[in-house]
């Protein structure tokens, strides 16, 4: 029998090592996702922990401009979150790329973002084995110099990933260490290549995904990349036009930059999620994490001092991902050790 949302939060909090000595802070937006707030509070109490709910009037970024940041609530939010041991983010859009997240985790607090429907949270819950896979992928990136992505459709993209300080994102779906952020559920590894080093061509095919638009690509789109920035978007169908319109609407050169890129490791994730579920109920993490995908993103990159609310994640199928000539993904399938 499927678990209730509260039961799943209890299991997740156990993975996150929540105990009776701790205070769980829940950041939410007024009137949004109240069932998640209630479940998080109930789960904390079942484990003997205390719970503090921090409601803001609005923290999520819109998907289209015009956009003006309103940070009036942030100082009070940070002050309250600083008194908590672990912070649960159940805002609609998430605080993934915000200064709020950076400052909370920078103070040593654990932080977990939760957005997917309850059955997705249960089906894709993380575990120790997944963590080991993700960490192994991070080691490969850390020890590499060049990331090379190709596909039969014509993708041919390289990026410089050299340097011991390469920023790497490890996501296995829970937070049990000080200063760690993660997204429940998750199962992928990615890096922020050295800025302005991505070069080549990305060819999107029908069935690839566009997040947060939560839909599949319908037409072939060719994207030319030079010095880490998208220079041209070509295609005869609607998708090329829509992508150009989206980037141009911001009137901001930063939105054209490539950000992080990596691959999915979660075998239980299914690419069909956007058709099986109501896409409006999904955050898209299942497609980000699907084993053997290649995912790249645009816009925000705090390691390059690039902050913009314009951000797309683009998981792709049937790619080959190589690090210094050694494949970690071949034709959309994970390569066994």
């Amino acid at each position: 029998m499927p678990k209730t949302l509260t039961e799943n939060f209890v299991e997740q909090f156990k993975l996150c090592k929540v105990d009776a000595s701790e205070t769980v802070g829940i950041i939410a937006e007024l009137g949004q996702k109240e069932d998640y707030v209630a479940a998080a509070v109930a789960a904390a109490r079942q484990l003997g922990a205390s719970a503090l709910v921090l409601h803001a009037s609005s923290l999520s970024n819109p998907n289209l401009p015009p956009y003006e940041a309103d940070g009036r609530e942030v100082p009070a939010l940070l002050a309250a979150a600083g008194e908590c041991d672990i912070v649960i983010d159940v805002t609609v859009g998430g605080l993934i790329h915000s200064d709020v997240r950076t400052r909370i985790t920078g103070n040593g607090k654990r932080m977990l973002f939760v957005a997917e429907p309850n059955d997705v949270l249960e089906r894709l819950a993380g575990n120790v084995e997944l963590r080991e896979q993700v960490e192994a992928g991070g080691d490969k990136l850390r020890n590499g110099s060049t990331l090379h992505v190709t596909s039969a459709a014509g993708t041919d993209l390289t990026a410089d990933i050299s340097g011991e300080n390469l920023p790497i994102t490890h996501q296995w779906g829970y937070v049990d260490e000080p200063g760690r952020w993660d997204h429940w559920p998750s199962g992928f590894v990615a890096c922020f290549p050295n800025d302005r080093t991505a070069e080549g061509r990305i060819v999107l095919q029908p069935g690839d995904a566009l997040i947060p638009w939560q839909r599949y690509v319908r037409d072939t789109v060719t994207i030319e990349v030079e010095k880490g920035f998208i220079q041209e978007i070509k295609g005869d169908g609607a998708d090329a036009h829509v992508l150009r319109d989206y980037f141009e609407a911001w009137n901001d050169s930063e939105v054209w930059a490539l950000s992080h890129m990596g691959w999915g490791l979660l075998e239980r994730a299914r690419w069909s999620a956007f058709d099986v579920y109501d896409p409006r109920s999904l955050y898209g993490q299942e497609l980000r994490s699907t084993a053997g995908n290649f995912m790249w993103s645009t816009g925000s990159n705090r390691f390059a001092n690039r902050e913009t609310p314009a951000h797309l994640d683009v998981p792709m199928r049937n790619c080959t991902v190589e690090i210094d000539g050694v494949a970690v993904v071949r034709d959309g399938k994970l390569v066994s050790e």
Side-chain angles (χ1 to χ4, degrees):
M1 178 181 295
K3 294 185 177 72
T4 66
L5 187 58
T6 297
E7 288 171 335
N8 281 319
F9 263 99
V10 169
E11 293 303 313
Q12 185 68 14
F13 283 177
K14 289 178 180 177
L15 283 173
C16 295
K17 297 183 179 178
V18 174
D19 61 38
S21 71
E22 295 189 311
T23 298
V24 178
I26 299 109
I27 299 178
E29 290 167 289
L30 195 63
Q32 302 288 334
K33 297 173 65 176
E34 294 295 346
D35 52 341
Y36 287 73
V37 174
V41 170
R45 298 302 295 168
Q46 284 190 34
L47 295 174
S50 59
L52 175 67
V53 179
L54 308 171
H55 269 127
S57 60
S58 179
L59 287 171
S60 295
N61 291 336
N63 290 329
L64 288 172
Y67 172 75
E68 293 183 8
D70 183 354
R72 288 175 294 174
E73 296 163 326
V74 169
L77 189 72
L78 289 169
E83 298 299 316
C84 301
D85 299 285
I86 179 171
V87 175
I88 309 302
D89 174 9
V90 296
T91 60
V92 176
L95 303 172
I96 299 175
H97 299 289
S98 76
D99 184 57
V100 173
R101 168 197 162 177
T102 303
R103 291 171 69 178
I104 289 173
T105 56
N107 286 328
K109 308 301 182 180
R110 296 147 26 228
M111 189 171 183
L112 186 71
F113 177 44
V114 189
E116 303 289 1
N118 184 45
D119 64 315
V120 177
L121 297 177
E122 181 175 350
R123 179 166 51 85
L124 302 183
N127 54 43
V128 173
E129 291 75 22
L130 176 62
R131 176 176 181 165
E132 291 173 349
Q133 284 183 280
V134 173
E135 289 181 325
D139 289 341
K140 292 173 182 177
L141 287 169
R142 186 175 295 104
N143 295 325
S145 297
T146 302
L147 185 70
H148 188 198
V149 183
T150 57
S151 75
T155 293
D156 193 344
L157 182 75
T158 60
D160 179 1
I161 60 170
S162 62
E164 60 183 18
N165 295 321
L166 179 74
I168 298 174
T169 296
H170 303 87
Q171 292 189 26
W172 52 74
Y174 58 92
V175 289
D176 60 351
E177 300 170 345
R180 176 168 170 74
W181 177 93
D182 211 322
H183 184 164
W184 172 33
S186 274
F188 72 85
V189 63
C191 69
F192 292 81
N194 292 311
D195 196 31
R196 302 176 187 270
T197 66
E199 295 277 349
R201 174 177 297 153
I202 299 170
V203 181
L204 303 182
Q205 290 289 286
D208 293 337
L210 297 170
I211 302 172
W213 300 350
Q214 317 308 49
R215 69 170 178 85
Y216 300 107
V217 172
R218 296 166 296 208
D219 318 297
T220 299
V221 180
T222 300
I223 299 170
E224 302 291 347
V225 178
E226 294 179 10
K227 296 181 179 179
F229 281 74
I230 295 171
Q231 300 296 325
E232 189 175 9
I233 299 174
K234 299 181 290 186
D236 296 329
D239 280 333
H241 169 74
V242 170
L243 284 165
R244 283 194 300 267
D245 178 76
Y246 175 75
F247 289 120
E248 290 169 357
W250 294 93
N251 194 30
D252 178 1
S253 62
E254 299 289 89
V255 308
W256 298 84
L258 268 60
S259 183
H260 61 272
M261 54 186 71
W263 64 95
L265 290 157
L266 193 51
E267 297 283 3
R268 287 165 283 142
R270 290 293 172 262
W271 200 265
S272 54
F274 283 167
D275 276 348
V276 174
Y277 295 88
D278 178 351
R280 293 171 297 181
S281 72
L282 299 175
Y283 193 80
Q285 199 66 357
E286 184 149 8
L287 278 81
R288 289 182 179 94
S289 301
T290 301
N293 74 13
F294 167 66
M295 194 194 76
W296 58 280
S297 67
T298 66
S300 298
N301 180 349
R302 65 187 183 278
F303 303 104
N305 296 317
R306 182 179 299 119
E307 292 190 15
T308 169
H311 182 75
L312 291 179
D313 284 339
V314 187
M316 297 172 61
R317 304 164 303 117
N318 301 328
C319 292
T320 294
V321 181
E322 296 178 322
I323 299 174
D324 297 340
V326 178
V328 293
V329 174
R330 187 174 301 283
D331 298 327
K333 303 293 183 183
L334 292 175
V335 174
S336 304
E337 293 294 338

